[in-house]
Amino acid sequence: MMCTLLTTGDGVPGRIAPTLAEIFGVPVPEVDVCDAWDLENRNWEASVTCEYMALDGDLSWSLTITAGDTPHISEEELALAVARALRVVVIFPSDYPDISWIDRVATPAGEVGYVNTVEEEGEPPRWTVAVSEVSVSAFPHAEVRRIPEIIKPLQLPTPLTDACVPGGSRWRDTVWPLLNWERLTARMEADWPPSGWYPVSMYIEDLELRDQVPGVIAQLPAELQQPVQAALEQVDRTYHRLTTEDGGASLAEAAESSFAGRAWYWHRRPSNPPWDKAN
């Protein structure tokens, strides 16, 4: 594996070798901790290498860790292990490679959340944590709040829609409201990934898109209408199973609005409501 961690803390390069040895199950002499710019004084035969570089701002060190034939460990597991062992806060890559400003944070207490990081050019580079989902004392100026921008880009399975209108079909964009509806049920079943929260504004958009599905089906060629209708009915059954009839009270309270007279799915609340206030 190869992973770059950014950490707080003093003297991390001098303290990390035993921790990496324990994490990867190798002797300490098999861990080479070296300045990123020092190409001469390295153990090129080491099982684990850690190239370090000093940073400025909210973060103190960049650590590029490379491990060859060692037990598999995820980036999150590595970040948490380093955070706990060295009592530092660790920033590590998110699972959103297309959103460069989003990373994740691991704390010594075992908390993990998403953060908005900002890198400024300089010598050394200056890093600022602008927003964090979890409160971290090492980042006193970070705004602590949810990050809704990470929700929709998360890829969720849509096997029912895929079966009748696969990717690459000329009708794929047309059935977007059904795709979105199926993704909503996938979010419910997975307990609202990635952060166990979902803005009520997005939920309302999802229901509004569900309103459009009958019109979408009418636009499809005759040979697609029946299978797409069957897919819709199956997704509707899943939504019904994952929700409870409450006359729309929970949604109306969260959104500070009334949805009287809307279709049946507007009058049911998720079994695990993902919102805590109007947003």
Side-chain angles (χ1 to χ4, degrees):
M1 75 171 298
M2 180 175 179
C3 177
T4 297
L5 308 180
L6 311 179
T7 80
T8 61
D10 296 328
V12 168
R15 299 190 286 134
I16 198 171
T19 297
L20 294 179
E22 182 176 354
I23 291 171
F24 291 106
V26 300
V28 173
E30 286 295 309
V31 178
D32 183 39
V33 181
C34 50
D35 187 302
W37 304 109
D38 184 358
L39 300 179
E40 296 182 2
N41 301 303
R42 294 193 178 186
N43 176 7
W44 296 103
E45 304 300 321
S47 299
V48 179
T49 63
C50 175
E51 297 183 357
Y52 64 85
M53 182 173 64
L55 303 177
D56 194 12
D58 289 336
L59 300 165
S60 303
W61 302 99
S62 171
L63 310 172
T64 298
I65 299 167
T66 305
D69 297 329
T70 56
H72 174 73
I73 182 172
S74 70
E75 291 178 338
E76 180 174 327
E77 290 169 332
L78 175 60
L80 280 168
V82 170
R84 288 169 173 150
L86 301 186
R87 308 305 296 173
V88 296
V89 178
V90 178
I91 301 293
F92 63 105
S94 77
D95 36 13
Y96 294 92
D98 295 332
I99 309 180
S100 61
W101 51 272
I102 291 293
D103 290 299
R104 284 181 287 176
V105 61
T107 72
E111 297 172 292
V112 175
Y114 288 89
V115 292
N116 167 203
T117 54
V118 180
E119 180 184 9
E120 301 175 28
E121 293 184 1
E123 188 58 46
R126 181 177 181 82
W127 284 80
T128 301
V129 177
V131 180
S132 176
E133 285 190 322
V134 296
S135 179
V136 180
S137 59
F139 310 139
H141 304 297
E143 180 183 2
V144 180
R145 64 168 174 82
R146 308 285 192 173
I147 305 177
E149 294 89 346
I150 64 178
I151 295 176
K152 289 295 187 179
L154 182 66
Q155 296 300 306
L156 294 168
T158 54
L160 297 174
T161 308
D162 295 347
C164 48
V165 187
S169 168
R170 60 174 293 196
W171 300 103
R172 185 74 171 184
D173 290 343
T174 304
V175 298
W176 163 248
L178 177 58
L179 278 165
N180 188 77
W181 185 234
E182 188 172 0
R183 284 181 180 144
L184 176 62
T185 62
R187 291 184 203 283
M188 288 185 186
E189 290 196 291
D191 202 20
W192 308 102
S195 299
W197 169 82
Y198 198 67
V200 69
S201 58
M202 288 187 184
Y203 191 85
I204 290 171
E205 289 173 2
D206 293 337
L207 299 187
E208 290 173 340
L209 284 169
R210 170 59 182 85
D211 289 341
Q212 299 176 22
V213 177
V216 164
I217 295 175
Q219 299 175 36
L220 298 174
E223 66 272 16
L224 284 180
Q225 290 186 10
Q226 191 279 328
V228 172
Q229 178 65 37
L232 170 62
E233 291 171 0
Q234 191 166 343
V235 177
D236 280 351
R237 287 194 292 272
T238 301
Y239 179 85
H240 191 277
R241 172 173 58 83
L242 296 172
T243 57
T244 302
E245 170 67 40
D246 74 342
S250 176
L251 182 60
E253 179 181 2
E256 299 178 353
S257 184
S258 173
F259 302 103
R262 301 289 186 98
W264 63 273
Y265 39 84
W266 287 87
H267 302 149
R268 302 183 65 83
R269 66 169 179 82
S271 300
N272 50 347
W275 48 72
D276 51 13
K277 60 182 179 180
N279 47 72

